Amino acid sequence: IYASWSLMSKIFIFLINSIISVSFAYLSSYSDRLRQYQILKINLLIISLIFFILSFFYVFLSEFTVNLFFGREFISLVPNLYKASLFGFFLSLTVMINNYLIARNSKLPVFLLLSVILYFYLFLRGHESISSIFDLNVYISALTAIFSSLFLLIKIKYLL
């Protein structure tokens, strides 16, 4: 079940990854900060649009989506499928923002290391169900996305 949930969240990441990779080249090559910021805004809009489209399938057509990819044997995944969409969104958002910050020579993305340490600490404490692991993935990715967004706002406020 976890592997199928992971695959469903990775679908989001696979759709976004090429956009993030190509945009990093643009973000690194432009010295014009306003142009970099415009590229970032467009990419964040695309990430959000893909999130809403996939979330529609994962929430409202969850049984159909699970049957399409895995068959009836994995129908127990349905109640947790929306979490895969959230996890993919938060992770992609974090990667996009941190690529932007790295392109701007910021040291703030080092924060990601702290979120990985926190994740491993909480993961190793044990869980009563697979659903609690899904929750942990969503919580840590959301926390990381929130802090990355705050770092981005700080960077934009002082350097744009």
Side-chain angles (χ1 to χ4, degrees):
I1 293 295
Y2 184 81
S4 56
W5 183 88
S6 178
L7 178 64
M8 296 307 287
S9 64
K10 288 177 184 171
I11 288 172
F12 186 91
I13 296 166
F14 292 146
L15 289 172
I16 299 298
N17 200 28
S18 59
I19 295 168
I20 291 173
S21 299
V22 170
S23 69
F24 184 73
Y26 282 106
L27 291 172
S28 326
S29 65
Y30 284 109
S31 60
D32 178 19
R33 292 180 183 183
L34 186 59
R35 180 76 175 141
Q36 285 179 335
Y37 183 62
Q38 290 171 340
I39 292 170
L40 175 69
K41 286 193 310 188
I42 291 169
N43 288 336
L44 292 177
L45 183 66
I46 292 169
I47 289 171
S48 299
L49 181 64
I50 291 173
F51 166 70
F52 286 117
I53 292 169
L54 277 181
S55 292
F56 175 80
F57 283 96
Y58 286 10
V59 172
F60 297 109
L61 302 172
S62 54
E63 283 190 42
F64 170 77
T65 305
V66 169
N67 284 329
L68 179 69
F69 285 99
F70 307 111
R72 293 291 275 147
E73 302 84 35
F74 290 88
I75 206 69
S76 61
L77 179 64
V78 167
N80 291 302
L81 194 58
Y82 74 95
K83 295 175 187 176
S85 177
L86 289 171
F87 175 71
F89 172 70
F90 290 135
L91 188 61
S92 296
L93 185 67
T94 300
V95 170
M96 183 67 237
I97 290 171
N98 284 304
N99 276 353
Y100 174 79
L101 292 171
I102 290 169
R104 301 277 303 268
N105 295 319
S106 174
K107 305 297 184 241
L108 294 174
V110 173
F111 163 75
L112 288 177
L113 182 60
L114 296 175
S115 66
V116 171
I117 292 169
L118 177 63
Y119 177 81
F120 280 120
Y121 170 75
L122 293 173
F123 183 80
L124 293 174
R125 290 187 61 208
H127 302 282
E128 58 276 352
S129 70
I130 192 81
S131 183
S132 65
I133 295 173
F134 298 153
D135 291 340
L136 177 63
N137 289 343
V138 172
Y139 296 149
I140 294 297
S141 64
L143 180 68
T144 306
I146 289 167
F147 277 108
S148 295
S149 299
L150 290 173
F151 292 151
L152 175 67
L153 292 174
I154 291 168
K155 185 78 169 174
I156 288 171
K157 182 178 179 184
Y158 290 108
L159 295 177
L160 187 62

